[in-house]
Amino acid sequence: MNDLGQFLLRAEEEMDFLPIIPLNESEQDDLNGIEIPDELALLPLRNTVLFPGVVLPITVGRDKSIKAVQEAYKGDKLIGVVAQKDSSVEDPTVLDLEDIGTVAKVVKLIKMPDGGTTIIIQGKSRFKIDSILFDDPYFKAKIIRLEEDESPAEADFDAYVSNIKELATEIVKLSPNIPTEAAIILKNIENPSFLIHFVSSNLNTDIREKQELLKLDRIRERADLLMKLLQKELQFAELKNKVTTKTRTELDKQQREYFLQQQLKSIKEELGGDPNQQEIKEMLKKAENKKWPDAAKETFKKGIEKLERMHPSTPDYSVVYNHLDLMLELPWDTCTEDIYDLKKAKKTLDTDHYGMQKIKERILEYLAVLKLKGDMKSPILCFVGPPGIGKTSLGRSIASAIGRKYVRLSLGGLHDESEIRGHRKTYIGAMPGRILQSLKKAKTSNPVMILDEIDKVGSDQRGDPSSALLEVLDPEQNNSFYDNYLEMEYDLSKVLFIATANTLQNIQPALRDRLEIIDLSGYAVEEKMEIAKTHLLPKQKELHGLKENSFRLSDKVLEKVIQDYTRESGVRELDRMLASIMRYQAKEQVMNGKLKASLTTDDIELILGKPKYSNDIYKTVNMPGVAVGLAWTYVGGDILFIETSLSDGKGELKLTGNLGNVMKESASTALTYLQSNAGKYKLDTKLFEKKNIHIHVPEGAVPKDGPSAGITMMVSIASALTGKKVKPYLAMTGEITLRGQVLPVGGIKEKVLAAKRAGLKEIIVCAQNEKDVEEIDPEFIQGVKFHYVKKMNEVIEIALG
């Protein structure tokens, strides 16, 4: 029965009493018949209020309380029970006691084994303290008994009682610590007064509110206040139940996941172990034989420890795993051994590429120093030259010659700096930079790395990749290159970087300063013929299934293909022409079953059509006012016609042909020089006032600029003004000044070879460019006469006779 009496109490609250109901409810009817004396010993209670009819077990601990109980137990067993105003007061005085209490009968007194005293008391009737007689050795007071109000006869009072029962039952249902039998007991209590007292006693509310219930004389008012308190308690119970249910749901979910994970683990163990643990073991096994710096080893160790603590389903697991996997894949201190046999290296380079002596010498010098010293920082080379001359393929040849791995990194159109440095590994889809990816692919830390088209690197709001390359291509810094994904420094000093570019103009100055520039000029006709015979023809024969056929192309035929069907510095167009010839030969082989032993020039015209280019144009342009200049473009040298025409007017100068500012200024300078020196060259000064001069450079859709056409424009204007024709098959290049000097220009080799390809026989250049001409192989410029000049009058004498 004790358990049943605990309902409506918070389980976590420590109580030293246990409300119970009387064994016989009919005793409630006899309460009014008990004789209660005027003077009673008082028992102060700290944590509850006793109501009439309710039975309470009380543990008595204070000396005064024990003496009061013992005194009452000796006599009529009646004692006055009052509540303390403040339950924290250990030794209460008269002022600490409530003035309304309940007369209780000590039903039983039990001596406990630990020396304590427990009594079971039953409330009989309410009383009011009239006066305190004494407070030592216990409290004794003169009391006034308060009569209980009869149950109201109104019909709605039954509704009050019924409502109290329902509210109390609802609270019992919502409180898991209260046994369900309590609801049955509540239902069976018929006496309204006892019901109110019983529920009030067990109500989980503040002691002062319980005291207020006890003070009320009218039972209806007591029922009214009790209902309000029950409503409040019901709301609290509902809220508590909601929170408890939510917490339990979350715990149930976690327990379910844990249980399933344990089951999954057991299944995996039965099938041969957890694959994630297997992956970690494999990583550790790979790491044992890895040659890497201490810093990398420490970082890997921390990463593995972190991975072991993580569940594979967490998002960060794959991030950490991929990072560690990259660390294992990178070569770190793994390098290939270089071949120090210089003669063998030279033979390999010569076999793969014709000419290019300057580059081959530079590579052999590097190998020689490496052999003597054993270790040196790799040079950062940059091959600059027109397209199609073999810059990229030369990198592969160099790698083969020195016995290193080859990787190519195309920088053309690169806009994002992260392509070089990598993305931070926390980003979705993050990757290391292209530099580390290439090293991972090469599986060695000293490959030959081709940075192709370094002049085509762009920049936008995502960063400037050329600035990121500053660190990569600086021998003083690249031993500690930092990649954002790896989050560690990596040594790139052993990598042999070779950059390729068509022009230096688009390369950032700071980046250009870090590169060792090696200029590659275009090929002469003789070089192209040699390349065609050694490399291109065998390659095309094999590609078209004609390797076993022994037909040949004579030098005369090859020369015709080169001169009449191509106009380039490299050999790409030549390669395409030879591919056309091979396709024709393949068709002939399949259709007729045999091939001619050799192809003639007529056969070439039949296969490739009429010649695309002709040198006869230079014979037909022999008229006053037309001069031939030499230009440099990123695809090599080219021929430039400059035409001047006179018309009646006011001496205005008109320039057409899509010319740049520098070229326009060269025309103005040439005209001013001729005006100021008209007497010297026997020019009619009136012509400058009466004639308009129109200078046009053909191929108007092509932009043209630069100072090297200065002397050509001057000769063209002088020819038009004097009416004299320019010497045939004569080309010229050079910058002019108002003082009449001829200044040197660049790109001499490309320009001279372009003039030779075009069939020109004489070339005027500045005397200071003589050293550039001497660098050209004499065989390639055989039959070309050079005029080295310092003054402009020398140019006019040679050009106009």
Side-chain angles (χ1 to χ4, degrees), residues 279-538:
E279 286 174 348
I280 292 171
K281 283 179 184 176
E282 285 173 15
M283 278 185 159
L284 289 168
K285 192 175 180 181
K286 282 184 185 177
E288 286 175 8
N289 304 321
K290 196 78 181 167
K291 286 198 275 182
W292 50 9
D294 292 338
K297 192 181 290 185
E298 188 62 29
T299 304
F300 180 81
K301 185 183 173 185
K302 287 179 181 175
I304 284 289
E305 288 172 358
K306 189 176 180 183
L307 200 65
E308 286 174 332
R309 292 195 300 270
M310 295 170 77
H311 193 274
S313 61
T314 57
D316 282 349
Y317 184 88
S318 60
V319 173
V320 176
Y321 180 85
N322 291 337
H323 183 250
L324 295 175
D325 189 48
L326 173 70
M327 290 185 71
L328 286 173
E329 292 291 327
L330 286 173
W332 297 100
D333 294 337
T334 305
C335 298
T336 53
E337 288 189 16
D338 292 335
I339 298 171
Y340 296 121
D341 189 341
L342 266 63
K343 289 180 181 177
K344 186 179 178 183
K346 187 177 187 303
K347 186 180 178 183
T348 304
L349 291 170
D350 287 338
T351 304
D352 292 344
H353 287 81
Y354 182 81
M356 300 186 178
Q357 295 306 319
K358 195 188 291 185
I359 292 177
K360 291 175 181 177
E361 288 298 321
R362 181 67 185 85
I363 297 301
L364 293 174
E365 286 167 8
Y366 166 68
L367 272 177
V369 174
L370 206 60
K371 184 176 182 180
L372 293 173
K373 190 171 180 289
D375 180 35
M376 75 173 285
K377 288 177 181 174
S378 296
I380 315 291
L381 305 178
C382 181
F383 300 158
V384 180
I389 61 172
K391 298 184 297 296
T392 307
S393 61
L394 184 61
R396 188 187 294 274
S397 180
I398 290 168
S400 174
I402 63 178
R404 291 194 183 185
K405 294 286 185 69
Y406 166 86
V407 283
R408 177 178 162 273
L409 188 61
S410 179
L411 299 177
L414 200 71
H415 282 274
D416 194 349
E417 178 224 355
S418 299
E419 290 285 332
I420 304 296
R421 291 190 192 277
H423 303 79
R424 301 202 179 279
K425 67 173 185 276
T426 49
Y427 294 142
I428 294 171
M431 293 172 69
R434 301 267 293 275
I435 301 288
L436 287 193
Q437 284 184 47
S438 299
L439 290 175
K440 177 183 169 184
K441 179 183 172 185
K443 292 184 171 53
T444 173
S445 283
N446 65 336
V448 173
M449 188 176 289
I450 301 294
L451 302 175
D452 215 5
E453 311 291 0
I454 199 170
D455 57 327
K456 311 292 191 305
V457 173
S459 63
D460 59 12
Q461 74 276 2
R462 287 170 291 182
D464 183 6
S466 61
S467 298
L469 284 169
L470 294 177
E471 184 186 2
V472 177
L473 299 179
D474 190 338
E476 300 300 323
Q477 296 179 32
N478 65 7
N479 61 340
S480 57
F481 170 69
Y482 186 86
D483 186 273
N484 291 329
Y485 184 87
L486 184 63
E487 292 183 340
M488 283 186 67
E489 292 180 346
Y490 195 93
D491 186 3
L492 298 178
S493 62
K494 298 183 184 72
V495 179
L496 175 54
F497 287 104
I498 298 176
T500 70
N502 295 130
T503 175
L504 292 173
Q505 292 174 0
N506 299 330
I507 301 176
Q508 193 188 83
L511 184 58
R512 190 164 65 232
D513 184 57
R514 286 162 166 77
L515 303 172
E516 185 179 332
I517 308 294
I518 298 177
D519 286 305
L520 297 176
S521 52
Y523 295 118
V525 174
E526 290 79 5
E527 286 179 303
K528 287 183 180 180
M529 287 175 65
E530 203 59 45
I531 291 166
K533 285 190 285 188
T534 312
H535 301 285
L536 302 183
L537 272 172

Side-chain angles (χ1 to χ4, degrees), residues 172-365:
V172 169
K173 287 179 182 176
L174 290 172
S175 303
N177 56 306
I178 300 174
T180 52
E181 291 85 349
I184 299 168
I185 294 167
L186 276 170
K187 191 176 179 182
N188 291 325
I189 296 175
E190 295 176 0
N191 189 313
S193 180
F194 176 69
L195 175 70
I196 291 169
H197 291 160
F198 177 69
V199 173
S200 298
S201 180
N202 290 282
L203 188 65
N204 183 20
T205 187
D206 191 75
I207 194 168
R208 282 170 298 198
E209 290 175 334
K210 286 188 177 183
Q211 186 66 30
E212 284 298 317
L213 283 166
L214 189 65
K215 283 182 180 178
L216 293 172
D217 292 327
R218 296 188 64 228
I219 196 166
R220 188 186 185 92
E221 289 177 4
R222 208 177 299 164
D224 213 15
L225 178 58
L226 179 59
M227 278 182 61
K228 287 179 184 177
L229 294 175
L230 282 171
Q231 288 282 5
K232 182 179 169 185
E233 179 61 22
L234 179 61
Q235 287 176 3
F236 178 80
E238 286 174 344
L239 182 63
K240 183 179 176 183
N241 187 58
K242 185 179 177 183
V243 173
T244 306
T245 306
K246 185 180 177 184
T247 309
R248 188 183 295 117
T249 305
E250 289 176 359
L251 282 171
D252 288 348
K253 187 182 176 185
Q254 288 176 4
Q255 287 169 349
R256 180 174 174 273
E257 285 180 359
Y258 175 76
F259 177 70
L260 290 173
Q261 289 294 347
Q262 290 300 313
Q263 278 190 323
L264 187 63
K265 189 177 177 182
S266 301
I267 292 165
K268 285 177 179 177
E269 284 174 359
E270 287 293 324
L271 292 171
D274 188 348
N276 297 308
Q277 290 299 322
Q278 290 291 106
E279 286 174 348
I280 292 171
K281 283 179 184 176
E282 285 173 15
M283 278 185 159
L284 289 168
K285 192 175 180 181
K286 282 184 185 177
E288 286 175 8
N289 304 321
K290 196 78 181 167
K291 286 198 275 182
W292 50 9
D294 292 338
K297 192 181 290 185
E298 188 62 29
T299 304
F300 180 81
K301 185 183 173 185
K302 287 179 181 175
I304 284 289
E305 288 172 358
K306 189 176 180 183
L307 200 65
E308 286 174 332
R309 292 195 300 270
M310 295 170 77
H311 193 274
S313 61
T314 57
D316 282 349
Y317 184 88
S318 60
V319 173
V320 176
Y321 180 85
N322 291 337
H323 183 250
L324 295 175
D325 189 48
L326 173 70
M327 290 185 71
L328 286 173
E329 292 291 327
L330 286 173
W332 297 100
D333 294 337
T334 305
C335 298
T336 53
E337 288 189 16
D338 292 335
I339 298 171
Y340 296 121
D341 189 341
L342 266 63
K343 289 180 181 177
K344 186 179 178 183
K346 187 177 187 303
K347 186 180 178 183
T348 304
L349 291 170
D350 287 338
T351 304
D352 292 344
H353 287 81
Y354 182 81
M356 300 186 178
Q357 295 306 319
K358 195 188 291 185
I359 292 177
K360 291 175 181 177
E361 288 298 321
R362 181 67 185 85
I363 297 301
L364 293 174
E365 286 167 8

